[in-house]
Amino acid sequence: MENEIFTPLLEQFMTSPLVTWVKTFGPLTAGNGTNLDEYVALVDGVFLNQVMLQINPKLESQRVNKKVNNDASLRMHNVSILVRQIKCYYQETLQQLIMMSLPNVLIIGKNPFSGKY
């Protein structure tokens, strides 16, 4: 049942303007990945950290786990780095303070298919 509900949400998310823009930085998966494969590549944080380094090459390099293999703690680590890098970019480069609540790294790490953040 949850899979049936998640599929339309996944389709909607993967065609959103933000995901379309992120895909301009390169393929999310090797070969012909499905929307689910591409979603997993996004929530693992590896690709998004690479995008962040292209946006701001001055960022302090932090060790991102390249082989997450559905490990929640590795996913949380990668997403935590990403959130810190985004905050840093907004504060130091754009001179702006983020006033909205940031994604919950624990929820993304433990259950990236929950639809919550």
Side-chain angles (χ1 to χ4, degrees):
M1 181 74 167
E2 184 177 317
N3 233 1
E4 293 171 10
I5 294 170
F6 184 71
T7 301
L9 291 174
L10 176 69
E11 296 291 329
Q12 181 181 3
F13 176 75
M14 294 307 294
T15 59
S16 70
L18 181 60
V19 174
T20 301
W21 174 75
V22 165
K23 288 180 178 182
T24 65
F25 286 88
L28 296 175
T29 60
N32 293 331
T34 65
N35 273 345
L36 181 59
D37 296 331
E38 290 183 339
Y39 178 78
V40 169
L42 288 173
V43 297
D44 282 351
V46 176
F47 186 81
L48 291 175
N49 273 291
Q50 291 170 348
V51 168
M52 199 62 216
L53 281 173
Q54 289 182 44
I55 292 170
N56 189 8
K58 299 181 294 185
L59 286 174
E60 182 180 315
S61 181
Q62 295 187 9
R63 186 177 171 99
V64 174
N65 296 295
K66 305 274 190 228
K67 303 271 188 208
V68 175
N69 295 328
N70 205 26
D71 184 317
S73 63
L74 297 178
R75 186 180 305 113
M76 284 186 274
H77 174 79
N78 288 351
V79 175
S80 293
I81 291 171
L82 178 65
V83 169
R84 277 195 306 272
Q85 302 288 28
I86 292 170
K87 282 176 56 176
C88 180
Y89 179 74
Y90 267 82
Q91 291 173 345
E92 293 178 10
T93 304
L94 301 177
Q95 300 291 306
Q96 295 182 3
L97 183 62
I98 299 173
M99 299 299 292
M100 61 187 277
S101 59
L102 297 172
N104 186 322
V105 174
L106 293 174
I107 291 174
I108 293 170
K110 289 182 179 180
N111 188 4
F113 301 104
S114 68
K116 299 177 183 176
Y117 58 91

